[in-house]
Amino acid sequence: MAETGQQLELVTGPIAHGGHVVARHHGAVVFVRHALPGERVVATVTGVRAKYLTADAVQVLVASPARVTPPCPYAGPGRCGGCDFQHVAVPEQRALKAAVVREQLHRLAGIDLDVVVEPLPGDQDGLRWRTRVELAVDGGGRAGLHRFHSHDVVPLDDCLIAAPGIADVLAQDWSGARAVDVVAPGVGDRVVLPRPSGPVPTVIEQVAGTTFQVSARGFWQVHPGAAAAFVAQVLDVLAPAPGERAMDLYAGAGLFAHALATAVGESGSVLAVESDARACADAVANLAGRPQAQVRHRRVDRVLRTLAARRRHTGVVVLDPPRTGAGRAVVRDIAALRPRAVAYVACDPATLARDLAHFGDAGYRAESVRAFDAFPMTHHVECIAHLVRH
C-alpha cells in the first residue's frame, strides 16, 4: 500500500460519486481529484484507508479532450476546496454528473433510466450563480474558503461561482469574525452577516411572480434558476387536482406548499411539515391567505408515524429531505398514507437511490428521474424523482 505524500503514475477510469475518478495502484482502488476519466496523471496520495487511497492529480501526462484551464486561479490541488470540476468543460461536467446519477440508481436501487443533467438559467457558463455564500475567516481577518477537507482558510480576491459583487466583501478586514455570510436575494439589496452577529434579517425571494420571505441564514436554493424549475417539475409530475389532499415534507419556507395550495384550491388541503422554527415562521407568512395550507412545526418522522397509525390517506407528496435523505422509516410511513404520486427532490444521488430502493420495497416505482445542474463547477446535482404505486 502506498503512503501519504507518495506520488503515483495512474491511468484514470470512470467517474465516482463525490467528484473523484477511479484508478488502481497494484490492485488498490485510488479515488483521484482534479482528474478526468481516461487520463494519465501523476497523483500525490492524500489519504490511506483500509480499502482505498485518495489522491490529487498534480501533473497531467495525457489529458482528456474535455480538460480546460480552470477559470478560477484558486482551483486545483491544495487550493480552495469549493469546486471539483473547474478543470472540466461545462458540458462534460453535466455528462459526468449524469453518469454518477445513473450508476447510483442502478447499483443501489436496480433502476435503469436514461438520466441527463439539464442546465438552469441564471449562471454565466457555470459561473456567478451562487446567491448564498458562507466565507471562512483566517487569523488575520482575511475572508476566503477552506481547503478540501481542511479547516485551513484560503484567502480569496474573488469567488467566480459566487453572485457578482462578492470581491468587495473579500477585500474587507473581518478581524473578530469567525465567518461571514453573504446573501444576494432575488429582491432587494445584498446582505452581509459576520458570525457571530445580532438578529438575522429576512430577505425576499421571488419565484414566478410570487414573493417569499426567507431568513437570511435559512434554506433557499442557491442557484437563481433552481426554485422556479423545481416547482415547475414538481407540479408537472404530481398534477395536483382541485380538492386533493397534499403534503410537503421538510417544507422549509413553504416553496412547494405554496404551489400545492394554489393547485388544490380552497377545497383541498396541504400539510407542510418542518422541524426548523424559523423556517416554519417564514412558511406561515408565505402561506398567509391560503387557509387550505397548514404548517406543522415538528419532525417529519414523528408526524408521519402518527398519521400512518391513524391510517390517514393523502393524494400527493413532495419529499425534499436534507442531504442524508429520508430513510426507510419515513419512506414506509409515506407509503402507508397511499399517495397516488410522490415527488422526491434530492441533492444527493446516493441517498436518493437508497430511498428509491426503500420505496420499491414499499410498493412504489420510479416513473422518472430528472436531473438539474444547480451547482455548476461542483460534483453536486439536484434530482427530482417521480414515484407512483405499482
Side-chain angles (χ1 to χ4, degrees), residues 226-239:
F230 298 169
V231 168
Q233 176 64 8
V234 163
L235 291 179
D236 182 59
V237 298
L238 293 183

Side-chain angles (χ1 to χ4, degrees), residues 166-374:
I166 197 172
D168 64 322
V169 177
L170 290 161
Q172 296 178 47
D173 183 352
W174 293 104
S175 297
R178 68 173 184 268
V180 181
D181 297 317
V182 185
V183 181
V187 178
D189 296 331
R190 182 185 67 190
V191 175
V192 180
L193 293 170
R195 293 177 183 254
S197 65
V200 178
T202 293
V203 298
I204 302 300
E205 301 289 353
Q206 192 169 56
V207 179
T210 299
T211 58
F212 294 84
Q213 76 167 47
V214 187
S215 168
R217 288 202 175 112
F219 175 78
W220 190 259
Q221 292 294 338
V222 295
H223 192 292
F230 298 169
V231 168
Q233 176 64 8
V234 163
L235 291 179
D236 182 59
V237 298
L238 293 183
E244 195 163 26
R245 181 178 291 169
M247 297 181 68
D248 181 10
L249 304 178
Y250 309 94
L255 173 67
F256 295 116
H258 187 281
L260 291 170
T262 302
V264 303
E266 292 190 9
S267 60
S269 67
V270 178
L271 176 61
V273 185
E274 171 58 51
S275 63
D276 181 80
R278 181 58 190 264
C280 282
D282 289 338
V284 168
N286 293 328
L287 294 167
R290 285 170 169 75
Q292 67 271 35
Q294 175 194 358
V295 178
R296 191 168 299 179
H297 177 209
R298 284 193 68 194
R299 281 177 38 169
V300 165
D301 59 339
R302 293 176 179 173
V303 171
L304 286 174
R305 190 182 312 142
T306 299
L307 295 177
R310 294 175 180 173
R311 300 184 181 276
R312 293 287 298 274
H313 286 180
T314 192
V316 294
V317 172
V318 178
L319 178 63
D320 187 10
R323 190 172 301 279
T324 51
R328 185 185 295 275
V330 165
V331 168
R332 178 199 63 215
D333 289 340
I334 290 173
L337 304 181
R338 297 185 58 78
R340 62 171 178 80
V342 177
Y344 189 142
V345 183
C347 59
D348 186 282
T351 54
L352 170 65
R354 178 205 67 196
D355 286 346
L356 293 188
H358 296 330
F359 269 110
D361 294 339
Y364 283 76
R365 61 179 172 82
E367 185 81 356
S368 67
V369 175
R370 193 173 175 190
F372 299 89
D373 196 11

Side-chain angles (χ1 to χ4, degrees), residues 17-106:
H17 183 36
H20 307 80
V21 294
V22 179
R24 290 189 177 272
H25 174 70
H26 298 316
V29 173
V30 188
F31 292 104
V32 187
R33 282 174 53 82
H34 310 291
L36 277 161
E39 293 190 322
R40 183 178 293 275
V41 301
V42 175
T44 299
V45 176
T46 57
V48 179
R49 306 291 186 270
K51 295 183 178 180
Y52 64 89
L53 307 172
T54 58
D56 284 347
V58 296
Q59 183 181 358
V60 180
L61 304 177
V62 178
S64 163
R67 178 174 283 274
V68 298
T69 300
C72 177
Y74 300 102
R79 300 173 189 167
C80 172
C83 294
D84 311 290
F85 287 154
Q86 290 262 354
H87 62 289
V88 187
V90 172
E92 182 66 12
Q93 292 181 28
R94 295 175 185 140
L96 293 176
K97 295 179 189 185
V100 169
V101 174
R102 291 193 297 266
E103 189 272 337
Q104 295 291 305
L105 291 175
H106 174 79

Side-chain angles (χ1 to χ4, degrees), residues 94-160:
R94 295 175 185 140
L96 293 176
K97 295 179 189 185
V100 169
V101 174
R102 291 193 297 266
E103 189 272 337
Q104 295 291 305
L105 291 175
H106 174 79
R107 183 170 61 86
L108 298 178
I111 296 171
D112 292 303
L113 292 171
D114 186 19
V115 178
V116 298
V117 174
E118 305 170 41
L120 290 170
D123 60 61
Q124 301 173 17
D125 196 26
L127 303 175
R128 297 302 185 198
W129 54 268
R130 192 172 184 94
T131 59
R132 291 175 177 240
V133 182
E134 182 181 340
L135 300 169
V137 178
D138 70 7
R142 297 172 299 175
L145 293 171
H146 289 119
R147 301 186 197 279
F148 183 69
H149 283 183
S150 170
H151 294 295
D152 295 340
V153 178
V154 179
L156 307 177
D157 295 319
D158 197 1
C159 174
L160 294 186

